[in-house]
Amino acid sequence: MNGQFPSTLLEKAVGEFAKLPGVGRKTALRLVLHLLRQDTPSVEALGRAIVTLKREVKYCKVCHNISDTDVCHICSNPGRDRSVVCVVENVQDVMAIEGTRQFTGLYHVLGGVISPMDGVGPGDLEIDSLVERVKAGGVAEVILALSATMEGDTTGFYIFRKLEHQDVKLSVIARGVSIGDELEYTDEVTLGRSIVNRTPFNGTM
Amino acid sequence: MNGQFPSTLLEKAVGEFAKLPGVGRKTALRLVLHLLRQDTPSVEALGRAIVTLKREVKYCKVCHNISDTDVCHICSNPGRDRSVVCVVENVQDVMAIEGTRQFTGLYHVLGGVISPMDGVGPGDLEIDSLVERVKAGGVAEVILALSATMEGDTTGFYIFRKLEHQDVKLSVIARGVSIGDELEYTDEVTLGRSIVNRTPFNGTM
């Protein structure tokens, strides 16, 4: 970004937008100038939406997902299977799994994964509350649905150690070749694991 | 973006961010969740910066650039050469040219370029006010510093036709700026040289 801002108000708004992840000062200026071209109610709607969300957002007491209510609409849904708990990193993962319509149990949102590089330890995540939830009874299976990264694997192993002496089945989502991927371009670890963890075939995928 | 939002407040905030240019729903969700992790004052600072800018921003009466005051700090600077007016599309272009430190005159911000595809005609731009400014006297030279695009060239030619019978020298920044490139993204050396080496304008680029 070259040159001086012609207005301190503009500079301030650009500075605030440039704090967002992946938004540089040039992009921030473009976004702010776009907003300046919109009518006042539209701009106020954006400003209000952020502030209202921050002030009024709740986290579900049961699964710790973002919620409008004390207990989220998934945890309070009597149609969901309360004996299966799927452990995920964040709200995006809940939305992705809900989008598949393949899961009818409940969730447990950790709020991140163990990542010493980013200063995130087990105490920063909702792991103790997961253990409490299992100890409270009624949970037959915990599914680990974490990213297939070193941090995801580390977190999964930590949870395994915390839950291994509890009376609960622990499982992990299948790692394998993605639908639509070609074998030739699949990495060796994934391909190897997909062979070791092969499943019975009855003629349909 | 798969799945339902777990919170209507979240959905609303994401919806507002997704209206920004170049921001899809997935990016919007990532930005909003980032904001949720910040403390309340930081989030309110962003919200307030936008609304305050929109409410209180002014446009300079002389050059129509964004300004905190009725007349911007460039137009009110007694050290600037008032006889040379550089015509640009927008505030980013003023900032880019100021960044070169090669120009000591004043600006005239059109607020866009003629673009029938986008429904922008000459009447939507600050062209009449430019002609008035020249007619009022005191302007010896008008430099056209528009993007080297079809729209920029069209706008330049339109201004040429409007000013050709006025007692003013019309020049255009040197085409050191690559054809097809936009001013905002041109490096300082090229942009600076293009101003120093401006050439007389006879209606064709």
Side-chain angles (χ1 to χ4, degrees):
Chain A
M1 179 64 62
N2 303 321
Q4 231 191 320
F5 283 92
S7 148
T8 52
L9 291 174
L10 179 68
E11 185 169 13
K12 180 138 184 57
V14 169
E16 291 295 336
F17 267 81
K19 287 178 189 167
L20 294 171
V23 178
R25 288 181 81 75
K26 226 161 205 179
T27 304
L29 178 58
R30 196 165 47 79
L31 295 179
V32 168
L33 291 175
H34 167 86
L35 284 171
L36 263 186
R37 285 192 297 270
Q38 310 310 305
D39 55 14
T40 304
S42 302
V43 176
E44 291 183 346
L46 173 65
R48 213 171 31 238
I50 306 163
V51 172
T52 306
L53 175 68
K54 181 63 190 174
R55 278 195 193 141
E56 297 180 14
V57 73
K58 288 180 176 148
Y59 293 89
C60 172
K61 280 180 182 171
V62 181
C63 73
H64 306 282
N65 195 10
I66 289 170
S67 174
D68 288 335
T69 45
D70 287 340
V71 176
C72 77
H73 71 274
I74 295 174
C75 288
S76 59
N77 181 347
R80 309 281 304 209
D81 180 356
R82 316 188 79 75
S83 71
V84 186
V85 172
C86 182
V87 176
V88 293
E89 184 179 337
N90 55 35
V91 54
Q92 287 106 315
D93 298 339
V94 172
M95 290 170 67
I97 294 175
E98 285 296 283
T100 70
R101 300 176 190 281
Q102 297 286 329
F103 181 68
T104 57
L106 304 185
Y107 292 93
H108 193 89
V109 180
L110 297 178
V113 281
I114 297 170
S115 173
M117 292 278 283
D118 302 315
V120 181
D124 301 314
L125 306 174
E126 292 291 347
I127 294 177
D128 288 346
S129 59
L130 173 66
V131 175
E132 289 307 311
R133 214 173 147 183
V134 169
K135 278 183 179 167
V139 179
E141 181 178 2
V142 168
I143 304 174
L144 298 176
L146 301 170
S147 293
T149 58
M150 201 177 65
E151 290 80 7
D153 289 350
T154 303
T155 310
F157 186 70
Y158 185 90
I159 292 172
F160 165 76
R161 294 296 298 271
K162 283 279 189 180
L163 290 179
E164 63 182 333
H165 301 303
Q166 299 296 324
D167 182 25
V168 68
K169 185 180 155 195
L170 206 59
S171 61
V172 62
I173 54 167
R175 306 283 191 220
V177 181
S178 297
I179 307 298
D181 271 6
E182 292 182 51
L183 276 199
E184 194 182 338
Y185 303 112
T186 305
D187 70 277
E188 287 175 20
V189 177
T190 303
L191 195 55
R193 204 175 293 184
S194 76
I195 291 170
V196 172
N197 297 337
R198 62 192 179 276
T199 52
F201 185 52
N202 62 2
T204 55
M205 290 293 176
Chain B
M1 177 66 63
N2 301 320
Q4 231 190 321
F5 282 92
S7 149
T8 52
L9 291 173
L10 179 68
E11 186 168 12
K12 181 139 183 56
V14 169
E16 291 296 336
F17 268 81
K19 286 178 189 168
L20 295 171
V23 177
R25 289 182 81 75
K26 228 165 204 175
T27 304
L29 178 58
R30 195 164 49 79
L31 295 179
V32 168
L33 291 174
H34 167 86
L35 284 171
L36 263 185
R37 286 192 296 271
Q38 310 309 305
D39 55 14
T40 304
S42 302
V43 176
E44 291 182 346
L46 173 65
R48 211 170 34 236
I50 307 163
V51 173
T52 306
L53 174 68
K54 180 65 189 172
R55 278 195 194 144
E56 298 181 15
V57 75
K58 288 179 176 147
Y59 293 89
C60 173
K61 280 178 183 174
V62 181
C63 73
H64 307 282
N65 195 11
I66 289 172
S67 173
D68 288 337
T69 44
D70 287 339
V71 176
C72 76
H73 70 275
I74 295 175
C75 289
S76 59
N77 182 348
R80 310 280 305 209
D81 181 354
R82 316 188 80 75
S83 70
V84 186
V85 172
C86 182
V87 176
V88 294
E89 183 180 338
N90 56 35
V91 54
Q92 286 107 316
D93 297 340
V94 173
M95 290 170 68
I97 293 175
E98 285 295 286
T100 71
R101 301 177 189 281
Q102 298 285 330
F103 181 68
T104 56
L106 304 185
Y107 293 94
H108 194 90
V109 180
L110 296 178
V113 281
I114 296 171
S115 174
M117 293 279 283
D118 301 317
V120 181
D124 301 314
L125 307 175
E126 294 290 348
I127 293 178
D128 287 346
S129 59
L130 172 66
V131 175
E132 289 308 312
R133 212 173 149 183
V134 170
K135 278 183 179 166
V139 179
E141 180 178 3
V142 168
I143 304 173
L144 298 176
L146 301 170
S147 293
T149 59
M150 202 175 66
E151 291 80 7
D153 288 350
T154 304
T155 309
F157 186 69
Y158 184 89
I159 292 171
F160 165 75
R161 293 297 297 272
K162 283 278 188 180
L163 290 180
E164 61 182 333
H165 300 303
Q166 299 297 323
D167 181 26
V168 68
K169 183 180 157 197
L170 205 59
S171 59
V172 61
I173 54 168
R175 285 301 184 226
V177 180
S178 328
I179 305 300
D181 272 6
E182 294 189 29
L183 273 202
E184 191 183 340
Y185 303 109
T186 304
D187 70 274
E188 287 187 11
V189 177
T190 306
L191 193 55
R193 198 170 299 178
S194 75
I195 290 172
V196 172
N197 295 337
R198 62 189 181 274
T199 51
F201 188 49
N202 61 2
T204 55
M205 292 292 172

